Amino acid sequence: MKSLISLKYLIVLLFFAEAINPPTAVLDLSEKFLDVKDEGMWFVEFYAPWCAHCKRLHPVWDQVGHALSDSNLPIRVGKLDCTRFPAVANKLSIQGYPTIMFFRNGHAIDYRGGREKESLVSFAKRCAAPIIEAVKENQLGKIKLSARSQPSFVFFGDSSGPLFDAFSDAANAKFSVARFYSVSPSENESTLRQRVVVYKDNMEIEFNGEMSTLKDWVTRERWPGFLQATSSNLAEMGASGKLIVLIVSSESQKFNATSPVRELHKIAEESSNEMRKHPALWNRFQFAWLDGSDLASQIQMATVSESHLFIFNYTSYEYYLSEDEPGQMTIKSILTFLEQTADAIDKGTVIAFGGRHLLTRMKRMVFELYWNIAQMFATQPLLSSCLFGVPIAFLSIICYSICSADFTVDRDEFYGDEDEILDEEEGDELDNSEIDENHEKAE
Ligand SMILES: *[C@@H]1O[C@H](CO)[C@@H](O)[C@H](O)[C@H]1NC(C)=O
Ligand SMILES: *[C@@H]1O[C@H](CO)[C@@H](O)[C@H](O)[C@H]1NC(C)=O
Ligand SMILES: *[C@@H]1O[C@H](CO)[C@@H](O)[C@H](O)[C@H]1NC(C)=O
């Protein structure tokens, strides 16, 4: 017996040695983090031990720690158990788990992207980069090229004065989501006119509003004109204060010449370019496309087909539909639809679907449950059939045996003997046989 117990201990010890062994670049933080968070740069995961998403993130987080320590950037990577240190979670108003934040000299930036190592690392690197990178004029070509995937904001002229201060302010607020550069005049040129431009969609767009609106302008212009919407960037797109014109498209079909998806995709892209000429629409709408109809179906709580267009308000979760069939839509009809919807919203005559009312939220929950189960059957029919079939079969058998069992004991006969049973507290099989006898007699 003794040897068995010591064997158990040995196994436990071995297990722990195994678990402790791999060195980690991730610091285990405690309440003391609150004292040091304003010093330098921190990349921190706030988690709870019971949360399944956190458990999935942990190995990735370890890799992020290694990648960032290899990169020699002065970023410290940590994780903090919020159930052990609730004071920290309170102070930083952490709502859900896992929450990922980057701290740069006291500025806290929420991370909202995907949970893959690559996007986490590139986010941290972006947060750690100089906020405004000074470049030479001959580097602009490269910047324009990289601006195809992510818009770049460039300041031209002497780095001083109120316009530069406004630009710095905007950059400080948005450096985690866009890139900011400054180009100073070269020796030959005595002065370079001060201006701010954004490079995106193969275009150069100059800022020409009031200086105080520069930050809002950056918030609005930080997305390409027509980008892919995912469940993770939809929230931030909504935060830009624009309504989102969503196209249900598909990664695999958007270049398929015979597919109706391609036609709508192309028209939507051209509409977004055309919309530039209409500032009122431009300031109000953002075009985006979805890969597949899942997200759209969840928003609309109905099965949506590919090649479909609707306007979506992320804040209110309301959506607006056009009367035109997707196949008949043209650039002109789409822009007219946007104009009419904007008009109707202003006048309060618009018909909105969806929303965030309690009833709608409940309906959405039920729909999502139904949707997920349907998806399971569609992707893994065999597994799903077993998963749902076996319990349902058991339940049916139980129901069947309960329903078909004979419980029709005559009430009088049974309760007539009640006193007798109560009298004989110790009564055992005898009582039962007596009841049975009575029961039989009754029949
Ligand atoms: C600036 O001056 C140098 C020589 O002084 C000349 O080679 C160069 O082309 C000039 N650049 C511009 C943009 O004028
Ligand atoms: C979305 O709806 C909310 C509530 O109705 C409204 O306040 C907000 O302005 C709308 N967003 C846009 C971009 O129109
Ligand atoms: C292209 O679209 C047509 C019509 O929707 C479809 O039948 C075909 O399979 C698609 N081709 C590819 C390569 O997906």
Side-chain angles (χ1 to χ4, degrees), residues 41-220:
M41 295 192 261
W42 291 91
F43 198 28
V44 184
E45 179 208 351
F46 297 91
Y47 71 99
W50 43 260
C51 138
H53 289 295
C54 305
K55 279 184 196 138
R56 234 169 291 145
L57 180 62
H58 282 325
V60 179
W61 197 247
D62 277 334
Q63 291 172 12
V64 170
H66 284 299
L68 288 178
S69 73
D70 287 349
S71 72
N72 284 328
L73 289 167
I75 307 171
R76 283 165 290 183
V77 181
K79 61 177 198 275
L80 192 140
D81 181 350
C82 292
T83 56
R84 279 176 64 203
F85 308 107
V88 183
N90 274 341
K91 184 87 202 264
L92 298 172
S93 355
I94 284 159
Q95 309 276 339
Y97 304 114
T99 293
I100 298 167
M101 281 186 183
F102 194 94
F103 298 86
R104 180 182 172 129
N105 303 326
H107 265 288
I109 308 135
D110 266 317
Y111 177 76
R112 299 214 188 106
R115 307 250 167 85
E116 316 82 45
K117 177 189 153 198
E118 289 71 28
S119 32
L120 286 160
V121 169
S122 80
F123 172 80
K125 286 185 174 166
R126 227 169 33 240
C127 288
I131 292 178
I132 299 174
E133 196 179 330
V135 293
K136 294 262 169 358
E137 229 166 339
N138 60 12
Q139 285 171 280
L140 282 177
K142 225 170 96 190
I143 292 171
K144 282 180 194 169
L145 215 63
S146 73
R148 281 184 188 166
S149 53
Q150 189 184 31
S152 296
F153 295 88
V154 184
F155 178 90
F156 289 93
D158 274 323
S159 329
S160 61
L163 187 61
F164 186 76
D165 291 344
F167 186 71
S168 300
D169 268 358
N172 265 312
K174 295 286 165 203
F175 69 85
S176 60
V177 295
R179 274 169 289 187
F180 296 86
Y181 302 94
S182 72
V183 178
S184 301
S186 52
E187 298 92 44
N188 311 29
E189 299 162 300
S190 52
T191 55
L192 186 62
R193 185 170 65 89
Q194 279 196 338
R195 63 202 171 101
V196 177
V197 306
V198 59
Y199 292 121
K200 64 187 236 181
D201 305 333
N202 289 326
M203 274 190 280
E204 174 181 327
I205 303 155
E206 188 170 336
F207 169 71
N208 54 14
E210 288 282 315
M211 220 174 281
S212 58
T213 62
L214 181 61
K215 201 191 283 183
D216 294 334
W217 179 76
V218 167
T219 309
R220 282 202 309 273

Side-chain angles (χ1 to χ4, degrees), residues 238 240-244 283-285 312-318 320 345:
S240 71
K242 286 187 180 187
L243 292 166
I244 311 167
N283 289 336
R284 194 134 186 196
F285 293 99
F312 181 50
N313 178 338
Y314 183 85
T315 330
S316 65
Y317 238 76
E318 287 173 327
Y320 311 99
I345 291 174

